[in-house]
Amino acid sequence: MTPPSFRFFLGLHISQKVPDATTIWRFREDLVNGGIVEELFATFDAHLRANGFMAMKGQIVDASIVSVPKQRNSREENARIKEGDVPEDWSENKRRRKDVDARWTKKNGKSFYGYKNHVSVDVKHKLIRSYAVTDAALHDSNVFEQLFADNTSKDVWADSAYRSADQLERLSQDGFREHIQRKGSRNSPLTPREREGNRTRSKIRSRIEHVFGVQVQRAGNLLLRTIGIARARAKIGLRNLAYNIDRMGMLLTAGG
């Protein structure tokens, strides 16, 4: 039996039927194909700004890996998929069950297969102001500047993955004040002053970890069971939107 709370969420009277699985599936496909999720996200962001939640005090950029079920392919099949070529001998049914858009990546010595959720969060309210979804293998720095959202401050925080001489020069030319973590190496370790600078920047940069932590807490295991990057973008975009809705509720309860 459908819980009353779910009926209330859908706006259904107790005498009305709850949508069946096929109806829900078609609705999800409409979200994927129509770009509706991006429109919903932008509409809610405008609602946030209209209700006093302007993006303020700068922005923090980071990415989180979103895993999908691992594919059991041969080495030859994986090599062809990586080149953007789907094996000809796959049946139509097999093609529908294979995610050929996801990619492998390593983080902290551990391998992951899936996508990345790149987000920009405003420092003041910890709301997601923009996002991008890519395969997991794409380096974070490739979508860095496209994540920048309108903010009352030109300050930008990020971890060391986004730091390069070219990146710093572009930020300076565009008038941004960078607060990007420094990274030492075996032959060039960080100086005490640089380590202290990292600790200072981390006090603000680490706020974005709360965003990813809440998403894990609310959604549980973030393993996506969709096929293809189009569906992944829709599903991850909805998670980002759901986070913002939940976060706005907390801000209103706390008085902004």
Side-chain angles (χ1 to χ4, degrees), residues 85-173:
D85 183 22
V86 179
E88 297 91 347
D89 58 344
W90 282 5
S91 66
E92 187 62 31
N93 183 50
K94 186 173 183 178
R95 288 170 185 261
R96 286 197 296 265
R97 292 185 287 106
K98 291 289 188 178
D99 192 334
V100 297
D101 297 327
R103 293 291 183 270
W104 286 96
T105 190
K106 278 196 173 184
K107 184 175 182 180
N108 299 325
K110 187 176 180 181
S111 296
F112 297 90
Y113 183 73
Y115 298 94
K116 277 185 181 178
N117 180 22
H118 306 262
V119 304
S120 174
V121 175
D122 74 284
V123 174
K124 171 68 175 178
H125 301 296
K126 282 196 297 190
L127 289 161
I128 299 174
R129 298 298 180 167
S130 67
Y131 72 92
V133 177
T134 70
D135 66 71
L138 189 72
H139 195 274
D140 297 351
S141 62
N142 289 346
V143 294
F144 186 34
E145 292 171 87
Q146 79 178 61
L147 291 171
F148 291 172
D150 290 337
N151 196 291
T152 61
S153 170
K154 300 290 281 186
D155 292 296
V156 178
W157 281 263
D159 66 28
S160 58
Y162 298 90
R163 191 177 191 91
S164 70
D166 289 342
Q167 197 74 265
L168 297 180
E169 184 178 354
R170 285 197 299 270
L171 290 174
S172 178
Q173 290 175 348

Side-chain angles (χ1 to χ4, degrees), residues 4-153:
S5 59
F6 186 58
R7 287 181 174 274
F8 177 77
F9 174 74
L10 295 175
L12 297 175
H13 187 269
I14 192 170
S15 63
Q16 293 178 293
K17 291 184 178 181
V18 175
D20 59 18
T22 301
T23 302
I24 293 174
W25 181 84
R26 286 175 178 169
F27 177 69
R28 286 177 176 172
E29 289 301 290
D30 287 341
L31 290 177
V32 171
N33 299 323
I36 299 173
V37 174
E38 291 82 357
E39 291 182 22
L40 288 173
F41 187 89
T43 298
F44 190 73
D45 185 67
H47 175 73
L48 288 168
R49 295 171 186 270
N51 283 272
F53 296 105
M54 295 294 295
M56 304 173 67
K57 296 189 177 181
Q59 52 197 307
I60 314 167
V61 174
D62 204 354
S64 176
I65 296 172
V66 181
S67 297
V68 300
K70 298 179 179 63
Q71 304 290 298
R72 300 182 182 279
N73 303 322
S74 66
R75 286 188 177 182
E76 182 181 349
E77 288 174 332
N78 281 332
R80 295 186 65 178
I81 291 170
K82 192 173 182 179
E83 294 297 323
D85 183 22
V86 179
E88 297 91 347
D89 58 344
W90 282 5
S91 66
E92 187 62 31
N93 183 50
K94 186 173 183 178
R95 288 170 185 261
R96 286 197 296 265
R97 292 185 287 106
K98 291 289 188 178
D99 192 334
V100 297
D101 297 327
R103 293 291 183 270
W104 286 96
T105 190
K106 278 196 173 184
K107 184 175 182 180
N108 299 325
K110 187 176 180 181
S111 296
F112 297 90
Y113 183 73
Y115 298 94
K116 277 185 181 178
N117 180 22
H118 306 262
V119 304
S120 174
V121 175
D122 74 284
V123 174
K124 171 68 175 178
H125 301 296
K126 282 196 297 190
L127 289 161
I128 299 174
R129 298 298 180 167
S130 67
Y131 72 92
V133 177
T134 70
D135 66 71
L138 189 72
H139 195 274
D140 297 351
S141 62
N142 289 346
V143 294
F144 186 34
E145 292 171 87
Q146 79 178 61
L147 291 171
F148 291 172
D150 290 337
N151 196 291
T152 61
S153 170

Side-chain angles (χ1 to χ4, degrees), residues 179-208:
H179 306 276
I180 302 178
Q181 299 287 87
R182 295 178 180 272
K183 186 177 182 179
S185 63
R186 181 178 299 178
N187 298 324
S188 182
L190 295 179
T191 65
R193 183 175 180 177
E194 289 172 333
R195 289 197 297 270
E196 180 59 32
N198 274 354
R199 283 191 290 269
T200 300
R201 286 186 287 269
S202 183
K203 291 178 181 178
I204 292 179
R205 193 206 66 80
S206 62
R207 288 169 64 85
I208 200 169

Side-chain angles (χ1 to χ4, degrees), residues 183-251:
K183 186 177 182 179
S185 63
R186 181 178 299 178
N187 298 324
S188 182
L190 295 179
T191 65
R193 183 175 180 177
E194 289 172 333
R195 289 197 297 270
E196 180 59 32
N198 274 354
R199 283 191 290 269
T200 300
R201 286 186 287 269
S202 183
K203 291 178 181 178
I204 292 179
R205 193 206 66 80
S206 62
R207 288 169 64 85
I208 200 169
E209 300 300 336
H210 172 264
V211 177
F212 297 133
V214 168
Q215 289 187 322
V216 171
Q217 185 182 41
R218 295 288 191 269
N221 188 346
L222 286 182
L223 184 72
L224 279 186
R225 297 195 178 278
T226 57
I227 301 296
I229 194 168
R231 291 188 177 94
R233 286 194 176 114
K235 190 69 174 287
I236 293 171
L238 287 174
R239 287 179 177 176
N240 291 335
L241 175 59
Y243 166 83
N244 276 358
I245 294 172
D246 181 69
R247 179 65 181 164
M248 181 183 183
M250 293 184 62
L251 291 170

